[in-house]
Amino acid sequence: MKYVKLGTSDLNVSRICMGCMGFGDPGQGQHAWTLDEENSREIIRRGLELGVNFYDTAIAYQSGTSEQYVGRALRDFARRDEVVVATKFLPRTQDEIEAGITGQQHIEKMLNKSLENLGMDYVDLYIYHIWDWQTPIEDILDGLNRQVKAGKARYIGISNCFAWQLCKANAIAEREGWAKFVSIQGHYNLIFREEEREMVPYCDEENIALTPYSALASGRLSRKPGETSNRLEKDAYAKFKYDATKEQDEVIIGRVSEIAEKRGVSMTEVSLAWLLTKVTSPVVGATKFHHIEGAAKAVDLELTDEEISLAGVMAQNKPANAREKHAWTTGNQKI
């Protein structure tokens, strides 16, 4: 396994993050295909054996039971300082808004519950799960900063937002002297590349870590066109995300299959090796041993320039040297 700094933080994370949405009581949440605790523990143990030290969960996953399973497994199989634990909080509910619960109060309540579920004193990364349009961003940032100052969260991240929202939020945080978002967890993979328009170049410029979810498009990028699975057949959310573009996607999936066969590796390895050239640490869901094993192998797979190449005008809108930053100027004065 290889490791890298998470953006501007001092967290050293594995190049693969284990996504824990697939863990939790199947009878207590959005998904019916999640693993029970015994099987979840075995997947987590295998991830640790492979060097995966980065684990992502959320209070929303199976009514908090994902957090509970992850917390107990990590306490049993690893030292707290050996792992990087991320969890997420939801927007305020309508009932909370009507009751006058502030954004700051909501965040404290949610984090306290997550820490109780995890059985931990702090999380390494606390993630704003989805933009709350009914709560001022200043309240969210202030609430998160209070938790960082209290030692309950080491750093903060954000998920499911536009690049302009992340940019504006961090500008406000910098102005107020509050903790800034060090990572973004967006939807990004070989067949869903909207993040490349604005988010990827912005994060490259600001050294904000990209930790995308749906790295394998809910399994579509790990199977040949036409192949299916229990999740592909039953997961309504995944079908919503991808079924409308199935015909176009199969062209890319077919190319992944060709490269995998040529290189003598799995489609999982090819798909993730491509993504790893773009991001810090993709979040990879695992409900079977071969899921996390294939992900770990991808870290060592180097694709050729031809295999990872982009085409089009915007693909060329980048510095000649990948390490260069934009030379911003104000008049004749460089910033």
Side-chain angles (χ1 to χ4, degrees), residues 117-131:
N117 286 339
L118 289 162
M120 296 177 179
D121 297 325
Y122 68 93
V123 291
D124 299 282
L125 184 66
Y126 198 40
I127 301 173
Y128 186 17
H129 205 154
I130 189 166
W131 196 267

Side-chain angles (χ1 to χ4, degrees), residues 155-195:
Y155 296 95
I156 61 171
I158 192 169
S159 180
N160 296 303
C161 71
F162 295 112
W164 71 263
Q165 291 173 315
L166 174 54
C167 181
K168 186 171 183 177
N170 271 357
I172 292 170
E174 184 167 355
R175 182 191 71 199
E176 299 295 334
W178 293 336
K180 295 165 67 175
F181 294 119
V182 302
S183 66
I184 167 67
Q185 188 178 126
H187 183 192
Y188 184 27
N189 57 52
L190 257 172
I191 59 177
F192 191 93
R193 294 168 61 176
E194 184 66 24
E195 295 286 76

Side-chain angles (χ1 to χ4, degrees), residues 45-310:
R45 187 204 294 264
R46 184 62 180 135
L48 290 165
E49 290 172 350
L50 293 167
V52 175
N53 76 338
F54 191 11
Y55 292 82
D56 174 86
T57 183
I59 198 168
Y61 296 163
Q62 303 304 101
S63 301
T65 58
S66 172
E67 289 181 325
Q68 293 167 16
Y69 292 5
V70 171
R72 285 193 284 263
L74 293 178
R75 290 200 306 276
D76 288 346
F77 302 145
R79 294 203 320 262
R80 180 65 186 89
D81 61 357
E82 293 177 333
V83 292
V84 175
V85 179
T87 194
K88 315 180 197 72
F89 68 97
L90 293 167
R92 288 188 300 167
T93 65
Q94 195 59 43
D95 287 344
E96 285 179 310
I97 293 170
E98 292 172 1
I101 302 298
T102 67
Q104 292 92 330
Q105 291 169 332
H106 169 74
I107 288 169
E108 182 176 17
K109 175 185 172 184
M110 293 287 276
L111 181 51
N112 285 343
K113 183 59 179 177
S114 285
L115 292 175
E116 178 186 328
N117 286 339
L118 289 162
M120 296 177 179
D121 297 325
Y122 68 93
V123 291
D124 299 282
L125 184 66
Y126 198 40
I127 301 173
Y128 186 17
H129 205 154
I130 189 166
W131 196 267
D132 183 349
W133 291 91
Q134 299 188 82
T135 302
I137 185 59
E138 289 84 356
D139 290 359
I140 297 295
L141 292 167
D142 181 25
L144 287 169
N145 187 66
R146 293 181 187 200
Q147 301 312 306
V148 172
K149 290 180 69 176
K152 294 180 181 179
R154 294 181 64 190
Y155 296 95
I156 61 171
I158 192 169
S159 180
N160 296 303
C161 71
F162 295 112
W164 71 263
Q165 291 173 315
L166 174 54
C167 181
K168 186 171 183 177
N170 271 357
I172 292 170
E174 184 167 355
R175 182 191 71 199
E176 299 295 334
W178 293 336
K180 295 165 67 175
F181 294 119
V182 302
S183 66
I184 167 67
Q185 188 178 126
H187 183 192
Y188 184 27
N189 57 52
L190 257 172
I191 59 177
F192 191 93
R193 294 168 61 176
E194 184 66 24
E195 295 286 76
E196 289 175 359
R197 293 182 185 273
E198 300 289 344
M199 188 65 80
V200 171
Y202 171 66
C203 290
D204 284 346
E205 184 76 21
E206 297 295 320
N207 193 20
I208 296 170
L210 291 150
T211 63
Y213 65 83
S214 204
L216 292 170
S218 299
R220 284 159 178 76
L221 285 165
S222 63
R223 293 176 176 81
K224 295 180 180 179
E227 291 184 349
T228 189
S229 70
N230 184 52
R231 182 180 177 188
L232 291 178
E233 294 294 329
K234 295 183 178 181
D235 190 338
Y237 179 53
K239 291 171 74 67
F240 163 76
K241 286 193 294 184
Y242 298 111
D243 275 9
T245 58
K246 183 177 180 180
E247 187 175 340
Q248 304 97 295
D249 295 345
E250 286 189 349
V251 175
I252 299 170
I253 294 169
R255 176 62 176 147
V256 172
S257 178
E258 289 175 15
I259 295 172
E261 187 171 346
K262 177 182 177 182
R263 299 289 297 270
V265 297
S266 69
M267 290 176 63
T268 292
E269 291 169 68
V270 173
S271 298
L272 291 178
W274 179 89
L275 193 56
L276 282 163
T277 67
K278 318 290 182 183
V279 308
T280 302
S281 181
V283 178
V284 182
T287 54
K288 294 182 173 65
F289 283 152
H290 72 83
H291 293 162
I292 192 60
E293 290 166 351
K297 289 179 182 178
V299 174
D300 295 318
L301 177 62
E302 294 187 12
L303 300 177
T304 66
D305 290 343
E306 181 183 3
E307 289 167 338
I308 64 175
S309 64
L310 296 175

